[in-house]
Amino acid sequence: MNPNNGEIYALASAPDFDLNNFSQEEDNAVFANHAISDRYEPGSTMKVVTGAAALEEKLYTPESSFILPGVIKVGGWPIHDSHERGTEEFSFKTIITHSSNIGAATIAKKLGKKALYSYIEKFGLLRPTGIELPGEARGDVPAVKDWSASSLATISFGQGISVTPIEMASVYSEIAN
């Protein structure tokens, strides 16, 4: 994807099929373009949206420092990073580059539900991209009024929402731009 204008340079989907014998294909799923039609939880790739929102709102700088425990409880649920660790100091930049769930949740707490949702919307995750191919799905992000006590934290690191691969490619293209 061209980060300057969103032009798609290449798009692939698997499994593929033989164009010479496509009428004999029994599994219609092979005709789907999974990059535009399938939704998934974006996981850690969503942290860039949380981080960009906090930077844009001038809540933190890349050098901002955080003391992060190994586990936090949000809405009664434990949140931890992918690797067990004790309390450590992280910079904002390290939270993003080392993919800290606890760090993303901490950033999101200061950002707030309405602001995070607003940036999710600004990055285009609430509407189809408009790619000129049939079958485009759009992501699913619950309205703020439907968020649970833990939604702000989990959405900040890409759980509890769904997006398409083309939507996330578009987000990263905007960041690159």
Side-chain angles (χ1 to χ4, degrees):
M1 179 179 279
N2 182 328
N4 296 311
N5 62 17
E7 179 183 18
I8 303 295
Y9 289 144
L11 188 69
S13 189
D16 60 1
F17 54 92
D18 183 348
L19 286 172
N20 295 314
N21 296 311
F22 74 91
S23 63
Q24 282 85 41
E25 186 58 57
E26 294 180 18
D27 182 6
N28 285 336
V30 301
F31 298 118
N33 187 330
H34 302 288
I36 66 167
S37 65
D38 292 359
R39 296 185 304 186
Y40 67 99
E41 284 189 327
S44 291
T45 62
M46 185 66 183
K47 289 175 183 148
V48 73
V49 173
T50 303
L55 291 173
E56 189 67 22
E57 292 296 311
K58 298 185 180 4
L59 299 176
Y60 301 106
T61 69
E63 292 75 32
S64 293
S65 181
F66 301 80
I67 303 298
L68 301 178
V71 177
I72 60 172
K73 280 210 171 202
V74 178
W77 296 95
I79 294 186
H80 51 82
D81 288 341
S82 62
H83 296 86
E84 192 174 316
R85 61 171 182 78
T87 299
E88 290 184 32
E89 183 175 359
F90 280 68
S91 70
F92 182 96
K93 186 162 70 171
T94 303
I95 287 171
I96 303 302
T97 60
H98 289 165
S99 194
S100 171
N101 293 342
I102 294 169
T106 301
I107 291 167
K109 185 176 180 181
K110 186 164 185 180
L111 186 62
K113 292 178 183 181
K114 289 181 182 176
L116 181 58
Y117 188 87
S118 171
Y119 279 89
I120 289 170
E121 184 174 39
K122 289 175 186 177
F123 274 107
L125 296 178
L126 301 178
R127 65 182 183 284
T129 64
I131 192 168
E132 294 177 1
L133 293 171
E136 181 181 13
R138 72 174 184 87
D140 183 32
V141 179
V144 172
K145 67 179 179 58
D146 298 325
W147 288 15
S148 71
S150 61
S151 291
L152 176 62
T154 58
I155 290 171
S156 77
F157 54 81
Q159 294 180 4
I161 64 172
S162 65
V163 299
T164 63
I166 194 71
E167 286 176 318
M168 284 313 291
S170 179
V171 165
Y172 276 79
S173 185
E174 289 180 49
I175 294 291
N177 190 314

